[in-house]
Amino acid sequence: MNVLTMPSPPAGDAVRAYSLKTIGVSKIFGPLTALDDVSISVEAGEFHALLGENGAGKSTLVKCIMGFYSADRGKVLLNGAEAKIANPRDARANGIGMVYQHFTLVPSLTGAENLVISRADAPSIFDWKKEKAGLEAFLNRMPFRVPLDVPVSALAAGEKQKLEILKLLYLDQRLLILDEPTSVLTPGEADEMLGLLRGMTQRKEVSVIMITHKFREVTAFADSVSVLRRGRKVGGGKVSELSVEDMARMMIGDTPIRDRAIRADRAPGDVVLDLSALYADDDEGLPALDQFNLKVHAGEIVGIAGVSGNGQSELVEVLSGQRPLKDGRIVVKDEIFEPNRKSYAKLKIFGLPEEPLKNATVPRMTVAENMAFRTFDQPPSAWLGWWLSVGPMRTKARALIKQYRVKTSSPESAIADLSGGNVQRAVLARELSGEVDLLIVANPCFGLDFASVAEIRAQIMEQRNRGAAVLLVSEDLDEILDLADRVAVMSAGTINYVSPVGSTNRAEIGKHMAGH
Amino acid sequence: MADIAEPMAPPMVAASEWRGDLSIRIRRGAEYVAIPLFALVVSAILFSLFLLALGKSPIQFFQLVHQGGFGTAFSIQNTLQRAAPLILTALAVAIPARIGLVMIGGEGALVVGGFASAAIAIPLVTGKASPMVALIIMAIAGMIFGALWVGIAGFLRYARGVNETISSLLLTYIGIATMNFFVEGALRDLTNPNKPSTMPIGDAYMVGKIPGTDVHWGLAIGVLLAIVLHILMSRTTFGFAVRVTGGNARAALAQGIPVGKLIVICCLIAGACAGLAGFYEVAAIQGRANASLVAGYGFTGILVAFLARHNAIAIIPVAIMFGGLVASGGLVQRRMDLPDATVLVLQGLTFVVLLVSETLYGRFKIFQPPITADRT
Ligand SMILES: Nc1ncnc2c1ncn2[C@@H]1O[C@H](COP(=O)(O)OP(=O)(O)OP(=O)(O)O)[C@@H](O)[C@H]1O
Ligand SMILES: [Mg+2]
């Protein structure tokens, strides 16, 4: 499939999109049936959403379609005919492409280079002039553009995600599978991208299967939906005929979800976290924190809002010892903060960083070991502070797995084998199972289903009600308005607006987010 | 900790099924044995083709290796004698590997450590110190200087982000040059006209043999160290912190683990092991420091560590195997009229095949706990 000699743009109403059906797909991982007889159907040119709680089997299903896993039973029909897909290369040759939750582009290459090298028939020597002309022709047929001559690392998240999609279209894929494609995007970016895809499905250029946890995206962009629950397909249909409540009920059955956490009425206590005049650089050596000041009191949640890239992740990294502080003072409960285990334990500082698999776990260590990161050097996990007691460590992990309902086949599984949401839960279990005085949280609900979101927010609120000081950095303004006592807006590495949540509004916050 | 809301779903697996844990570990272990063995077989086949191309008999080669390395009591002792430094230099690779470093400076640390032992022996021997005291001081000097050598690479990595693989390799050349500088200059023993060397320490100061054998104590110490370091890495909080750091340094930092300190400590341990190997080469074999110290043990140790998958216990048998290969080198050379470098070709082939075989992990169903079946 040479893209450059590909037939010219679709003429008239030619349907280029492919239809796909799975029939009775089952996938078994040892004691765990991850998929049980799942049949879904996606018409040509349909925008199909795949819903389900964390660990329901959504990623496993699309991985079976893509040939990452071989299904134990069942088959996949492409355009009505059985497709034999043994590996992702076959999938690609069959016109099925996937956008992953994490970017797969080569950051140091330009967009154009990324597109061209991704081709199966990429020659060993490129005639760049010819390639550029080919790309130009290709882009002219596309509904959207991305700057192709700058390194990918210089693109914003939304542009990168668009480039991922362009790549699939460039490879002439007719069925696009997207696994939580918007979790790294702002709502604006997400809407733009999904809108473009919707346009393409309406013109029958591609079909789309999208995994998501956001009902808003389903109702706004999808035509039809399938809902998985504990590996079974439990419902679905036309989005126009279903309400959000219907879909939610299918996802979790009639197990009650946790009520919204109640904010206990309490006066803020003493200052727990005092950040004064912090300065720090980003990876490129440019100032990321620039005279950053903030205080967080006991029994209070301070939410930091802001457009991403204004120093929020650097702030969290500084507070978790991952980035050196250039200047300034971090004081926790009247003590100068040192990012070492002693002060974490003594001052009871805990954290839920974003992207837990990357920031808070060792993917190839076991669930039990990962859950012991906080306590491995304290009794009963450690004996004389030196000798590791594996027994108590495993017992503790089992208790936490049960209490936080982490879905794993065994405490000895590698944590990388857990579903995205369950990695988050495992980290949560580790960080919230003790007594917490200071909690630093960054985008805690990325990639979580709505029931888990409710639960995690309730737990954060509970910690606050108990008297913990909570610093919540979130790109989701709703989350901040829901949880925080005070909101602080971060822009260009500094706080330029602080207000109690009760006496401000979105417009006011938005104005300061834009840097005014 | 407050209660969580009603369960959304029962735990997927009942506690009783967690007995499967053991089988997961056994299967993983089996994979770690089978794939390196497979790599060894493949490289033996490739090497046989190489020999055939030279018009030599592979069968004869392997027979000679067997005979020269393991055939007689004498050859076995010779093999073990050579396994001793290999265990130590392999540990010098394996320990930093646990914290995520590819440190290949064992050769340099061995040479520098050996030279330091020989140099400090000069005043001790001329001052007629008691042999016991002298040997202990020599061993400590060897370990300190070896530790320093790898420690420098570790420190540069930690403080300045300098690539440790390159710096440890370059430090090896600096170490060898430094020894030559002294051996051919200030510390040269002028009574020995043949080969520039330091002053011989004399028989009275040599390390003894393990009773009943012809093998020096370095072997026992190497085995002991391998066991101790294995326990350190797998059973202590220190080892746990090292594994966390090696697996994900960002997560380690966020947990308050002193990453930089651990990196430097691991490198110091590694260098001390290699330096100790140098000490035994001087005090048990050569009796002095000279160019013979640069015998390639440090480099063969890299291969041993990789074959053993940086597992300190597995290093012991692998080192013995390669000790046999090294020991049989002379015999093979004489009988088959093969050049000196032939054994190096075999080692190089093994290393390449081994690195390629790294991509095989997780590909074979039988080794996968049924749970992670066919992960890609
Ligand atoms: N390679 C694997 N080995 C063992 N178990 C696995 C493997 N991959 C997935 N699982 C298990 O299968 C179940 C389904 O996982 P999957 O990743 O499909 O969930 P998901 O619906 O995508 O959830 P999330 O919304 O959290 O991403 C989980 O319980 C997970 O632990
Ligand atoms: Mg998933």
Side-chain angles (χ1 to χ4, degrees):
Chain A
M1 20 160 275
N2 188 330
V3 184
L4 295 177
T5 59
M6 201 174 69
S8 43
D13 325 323
V15 174
R16 289 163 50 80
Y18 287 172
S19 73
L20 179 127
K21 270 194 176 60
T22 67
I23 298 181
V25 169
S26 297
K27 178 73 196 168
I28 294 163
F29 291 121
L32 182 135
T33 304
L35 289 177
D36 186 4
D37 199 20
V38 174
S39 304
I40 67 167
S41 166
V42 183
E43 300 302 321
E46 194 173 45
F47 196 125
H48 191 88
L50 203 52
L51 280 172
E53 57 184 349
N54 294 124
K58 305 177 298 292
S59 297
T60 305
L61 178 63
V62 295
K63 283 179 184 165
C64 285
I65 296 174
M66 286 297 295
F68 270 111
Y69 294 150
S70 58
D72 293 303
R73 272 194 305 278
K75 54 187 174 184
V76 174
L77 303 187
L78 199 59
N79 288 334
E82 183 166 357
K84 282 268 168 267
I85 297 171
N87 55 49
R89 221 172 314 128
D90 291 352
R92 170 164 145 172
N94 275 297
I96 309 178
M98 180 153 165
V99 174
Y100 299 85
Q101 202 170 338
H102 305 284
F103 298 118
T104 57
L105 299 164
V106 184
S108 57
L109 298 184
T110 66
E113 288 163 341
N114 265 290
L115 290 186
V116 173
I117 59 163
S118 67
R119 265 173 27 206
D121 64 340
S124 30
I125 298 173
F126 289 108
D127 176 354
W128 278 107
K129 225 165 127 191
K130 191 175 126 219
E131 300 293 349
K132 284 251 166 68
L135 275 177
E136 201 54 39
F138 162 74
L139 281 181
N140 286 336
R141 302 198 297 273
M142 288 299 116
F144 56 101
R145 280 188 164 254
V146 176
L148 285 187
D149 38 19
V150 294
V152 166
S153 54
L155 297 178
E159 286 177 319
K160 281 188 210 164
Q161 199 68 302
K162 278 196 233 161
L163 187 57
E164 295 272 4
I165 292 173
L166 270 186
K167 186 170 109 185
L168 298 186
L169 299 173
Y170 178 68
L171 297 175
D172 197 23
Q173 316 274 250
R174 313 290 181 83
L175 176 78
L176 309 187
I177 301 179
L178 312 159
D179 193 348
E180 301 185 35
T182 58
S183 55
V184 287
L185 306 184
T186 64
E189 285 172 329
D191 284 355
E192 189 192 351
M193 189 193 93
L194 295 178
L196 293 168
L197 282 174
R198 168 136 189 93
M200 299 190 69
T201 55
Q202 281 168 339
R203 290 191 297 278
K204 306 262 183 252
E205 290 166 17
V206 292
S207 313
V208 170
I209 300 177
M210 174 176 75
I211 297 177
T212 183
H213 288 295
K214 299 175 186 154
F215 290 121
R216 195 183 60 80
E217 294 174 354
V218 177
T219 46
F221 299 103
D223 300 308
S224 59
V225 59
S226 294
V227 182
L228 296 186
R229 179 156 176 247
R230 282 187 248 161
R232 292 214 189 91
K233 184 178 166 192
V234 289
K238 290 248 169 299
V239 171
S240 53
E241 292 160 12
L242 292 167
S243 68
V244 167
E245 287 71 40
D246 294 333
M247 292 188 263
R249 201 164 323 107
M250 287 179 204
M251 275 175 70
I252 59 165
D254 28 53
T255 34
I257 57 160
R258 175 124 187 194
D259 291 333
R260 258 193 84 210
I262 305 191
R263 183 185 306 277
D265 222 359
R266 59 172 300 160
D270 299 336
V271 174
V272 173
L273 177 68
D274 184 354
L275 307 172
S276 52
L278 303 189
Y279 289 86
D281 286 347
D282 66 11
D283 290 335
E284 266 82 57
L286 302 171
L289 293 184
D290 188 5
Q291 174 83 19
F292 183 97
N293 294 295
L294 190 68
K295 284 188 174 62
V296 186
H297 301 81
E300 159 184 73
I301 300 179
V302 175
I304 295 192
V307 178
S308 72
N310 272 286
Q312 294 95 321
S313 31
E314 286 83 0
L315 173 67
V316 174
E317 286 172 351
V318 163
L319 293 178
S320 46
Q322 294 173 328
R323 183 174 292 278
L325 190 61
K326 253 176 63 188
D327 197 12
R329 239 163 36 120
I330 304 175
V331 178
V332 180
K333 290 195 275 188
D334 301 323
E335 277 187 41
I336 296 281
F337 166 76
E338 301 275 351
N340 59 41
R341 293 185 72 76
K342 243 213 221 109
S343 56
Y344 282 133
K346 180 166 160 242
L347 303 171
K348 307 201 176 75
I349 306 174
F350 291 82
L352 301 174
E354 57 191 343
E355 295 191 58
L357 205 55
K358 182 172 132 206
N359 282 310
T361 65
V362 176
R364 63 165 185 261
M365 286 173 92
T366 67
V367 176
E369 286 173 326
N370 272 286
M371 282 183 154
F373 283 5
R374 277 283 165 187
T375 50
F376 73 87
D377 51 1
Q378 288 159 18
S381 299
W383 189 62
L384 299 177
W386 188 244
W387 190 255
L388 213 56
S389 306
V390 184
M393 203 157 110
R394 215 171 282 153
T395 315
K396 171 124 193 260
R398 271 175 203 173
L400 287 178
I401 287 171
K402 207 160 161 201
Q403 190 183 358
Y404 285 79
R405 292 184 312 284
V406 180
K407 286 179 200 161
T408 174
S409 39
S410 152
E412 296 298 308
S413 306
I415 198 162
D417 286 348
L418 265 53
S419 83
N422 279 300
V423 173
Q424 191 98 332
R425 270 164 190 271
V427 172
L428 188 79
R430 176 179 85 205
E431 300 289 324
L432 293 189
S433 56
E435 213 179 295
V436 181
D437 281 353
L438 172 60
L439 184 62
I440 293 160
V441 196
N443 294 314
C445 296
F446 268 11
L448 293 187
D449 63 52
F450 70 97
S452 307
V453 168
E455 186 176 314
I456 285 181
R457 291 191 180 158
Q459 294 216 19
I460 293 173
M461 185 60 79
E462 247 156 37
Q463 294 293 354
R464 171 228 177 247
N465 291 347
R466 256 199 51 257
V470 181
L471 182 67
L472 166 72
V473 179
S474 177
E475 281 167 30
D476 181 350
L477 194 51
D478 292 320
E479 181 163 77
I480 290 181
L481 293 175
D482 186 30
L483 286 177
D485 296 279
R486 283 192 298 148
V487 55
V489 176
M490 187 164 184
S491 168
T494 189
I495 294 290
N496 62 0
Y497 176 73
V498 184
S499 163
V501 163
S503 47
T504 185
N505 56 47
R506 278 167 188 279
E508 192 63 29
I509 295 174
K511 210 169 80 196
H512 288 93
M513 276 167 67
H516 300 298
Chain B
M1 158 84 246
D3 262 343
I4 306 182
E6 280 305 295
M8 292 182 285
M12 293 298 255
V13 183
S16 62
E17 286 179 50
W18 277 334
R19 289 207 194 93
D21 297 357
L22 186 62
S23 100
I24 297 182
R25 266 175 275 148
I26 292 174
R27 280 177 198 253
R28 251 179 230 158
E31 184 175 33
Y32 290 156
V33 175
I35 291 183
L37 275 181
F38 172 73
L40 272 182
V41 172
V42 170
S43 36
I45 293 172
L46 289 176
F47 184 68
S48 303
L49 295 176
F50 170 76
L51 287 179
L52 287 173
L54 292 180
K56 308 282 177 181
S57 153
I59 295 173
Q60 190 191 5
F61 174 84
F62 288 109
Q63 269 170 350
L64 286 175
V65 169
H66 178 253
Q67 190 188 335
F70 306 94
T72 62
F74 170 78
S75 58
I76 288 178
Q77 301 198 5
N78 190 4
T79 292
L80 292 177
Q81 189 106 296
R82 291 167 195 270
L86 287 180
I87 293 175
L88 291 168
T89 54
L91 288 173
V93 177
I95 301 300
R98 281 301 171 93
I99 201 157
L101 301 181
V102 183
M103 201 52 98
I104 57 173
E107 184 85 1
L110 181 151
V111 168
V112 170
F115 169 68
S117 315
I120 208 162
I122 298 173
L124 293 169
V125 171
T126 36
K128 307 246 182 308
S130 93
M132 197 61 194
V133 173
L135 281 175
I136 289 175
I137 294 177
M138 284 167 69
I140 290 174
M143 285 168 49
I144 288 177
F145 276 84
L148 201 70
W149 224 244
V150 182
I152 291 174
F155 182 77
L156 287 175
R157 166 63 194 240
Y158 152 62
R160 286 272 159 269
V162 178
N163 179 307
E164 77 283 357
T165 313
I166 306 285
S167 66
S168 62
L169 183 64
L170 295 180
L171 277 165
T172 293
Y173 293 118
I174 297 174
I176 294 171
T178 309
M179 179 191 72
N180 287 338
F181 173 79
F182 283 109
V183 168
E184 289 165 16
L187 295 181
R188 177 163 186 177
D189 173 20
L190 295 171
T191 60
N192 182 344
N194 303 322
K195 196 172 183 181
S197 307
T198 58
M199 192 189 87
I201 61 176
D203 286 348
Y205 287 89
M206 295 290 278
V207 172
K209 311 282 183 204
I210 300 173
T213 72
D214 206 21
V215 184
H216 65 77
W217 276 105
L219 178 72
I221 298 294
V223 169
L224 191 72
L225 254 180
I227 295 170
V228 168
L229 288 178
H230 179 76
I231 292 172
L232 181 72
M233 285 297 155
S234 59
R235 289 273 172 252
T236 67
T237 53
F238 171 83
F240 191 88
V242 166
R243 282 186 285 141
V244 171
T245 309
N248 184 353
R250 279 180 72 84
L253 283 171
Q255 293 297 324
I257 289 173
V259 170
K261 199 171 107 191
L262 291 182
I263 286 183
V264 173
I265 292 177
C266 283
C267 291
L268 291 176
I269 295 177
C273 289
L276 193 62
F279 158 76
Y280 279 111
E281 284 309 288
V282 165
I285 310 275
Q286 315 276 357
R288 59 181 74 108
N290 58 31
S292 308
L293 273 181
V294 191
Y297 284 125
F299 291 119
T300 307
I302 302 172
L303 179 53
V304 171
F306 272 78
L307 260 175
R309 293 197 59 83
H310 309 303
N311 176 316
I313 298 293
I315 279 176
I316 300 170
V318 179
I320 291 173
M321 194 175 82
F322 276 83
L325 192 64
V326 177
S328 62
L331 185 67
V332 170
Q333 206 177 324
R334 268 177 281 122
R335 291 276 191 81
M336 293 181 70
D337 190 25
L338 280 168
D340 216 6
T342 316
V343 173
L344 290 183
V345 172
L346 176 55
Q347 289 191 12
L349 269 177
T350 311
F351 203 50
V352 173
V353 173
L354 187 69
L355 292 181
V356 173
S357 77
E358 288 285 311
T359 62
L360 296 179
Y361 286 90
R363 295 233 175 165
F364 297 104
K365 266 198 176 161
I366 46 163
F367 297 129
Q368 299 314 309
I371 307 173
T372 48
D374 71 11
R375 282 196 77 213
T376 41

